[in-house]
């Protein structure tokens, strides 16, 4: 089972940027990887997904602002977050799974411990 460790969270003001990283314990380039987030009192939400071939998909609320990418040689997944908004505040989780590589399917994958992102207005 792949183990995932996220890093890069923090506190920023609205309009700022953060880059999250996720290191996998084994090569998982053949499957789907992505990011989830969970805000206090809210359900987990799939944010972004990337396929083995590098195709990406995003939930509507982050399109044009977030970019998911990966480096298979380093077993590392990234999430570049620009133009951050207070509503992006959440715990962000890296996830890996087999199947359809969509943000909504990301909820079914293994996930790490998470990294907190806080955006102030």
């Amino acid at each position: 089972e792949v183990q995932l460790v996220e890093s890069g969270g923090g506190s920023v003001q609205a309009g700022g940027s953060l880059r999250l990283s996720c290191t996998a314990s084994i090569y998982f380039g053949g499957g789907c990887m992505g990011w989830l987030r969970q805000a206090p009192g809210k359900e987990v939400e799939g944010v972004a997904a990337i396929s083995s071939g590098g195709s990406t998909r995003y939930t509507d609320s982050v399109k044009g602002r977030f970019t998911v990418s990966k480096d298979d040689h380093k077993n590392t997944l990234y999430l570049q977050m620009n133009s951050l908004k207070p509503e992006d505040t959440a715990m962000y989780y890296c996830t890996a799974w087999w199947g359809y590589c969509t943000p909504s399917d990301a909820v079914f994958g293994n996930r790490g411990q998470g990294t907190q992102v806080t955006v102030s207005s």
Side-chain angles (χ1 to χ4, degrees):
E1 181 176 298
V2 61
Q3 304 297 317
L4 304 165
V5 178
E6 303 93 339
S7 61
S11 298
V12 296
Q13 292 190 327
S17 298
L18 282 173
R19 189 193 196 201
L20 306 184
S21 297
C22 168
T23 302
S25 59
I26 59 173
Y27 172 73
F28 204 82
C32 305
M33 297 192 76
W35 294 91
L36 305 169
R37 67 185 179 185
Q38 187 168 25
K42 295 188 177 181
E43 294 185 356
V44 172
E45 175 188 27
V47 174
I50 186 166
S51 70
S52 59
S55 296
T56 58
R57 295 191 182 185
Y58 303 91
T59 193
D60 286 346
S61 62
V62 308
K63 285 180 180 177
R65 301 188 297 121
F66 290 12
T67 302
V68 60
S69 62
K70 63 176 181 170
D71 185 335
D72 287 336
H73 296 291
K74 296 182 179 179
N75 293 347
T76 301
L77 181 74
Y78 304 99
L79 185 67
Q80 178 67 44
M81 305 185 294
N82 298 328
S83 302
L84 282 162
K85 303 176 181 180
E87 51 264 44
D88 295 318
T89 295
M91 185 70 79
Y92 283 72
Y93 301 90
C94 173
T95 182
W97 71 101
W98 298 100
Y100 293 106
C101 299
T102 67
S104 58
D105 287 293
V107 300
F108 300 116
N110 294 338
R111 66 184 70 170
Q113 294 299 308
T115 186
Q116 177 68 37
V117 171
T118 303
V119 184
S120 58
S121 58

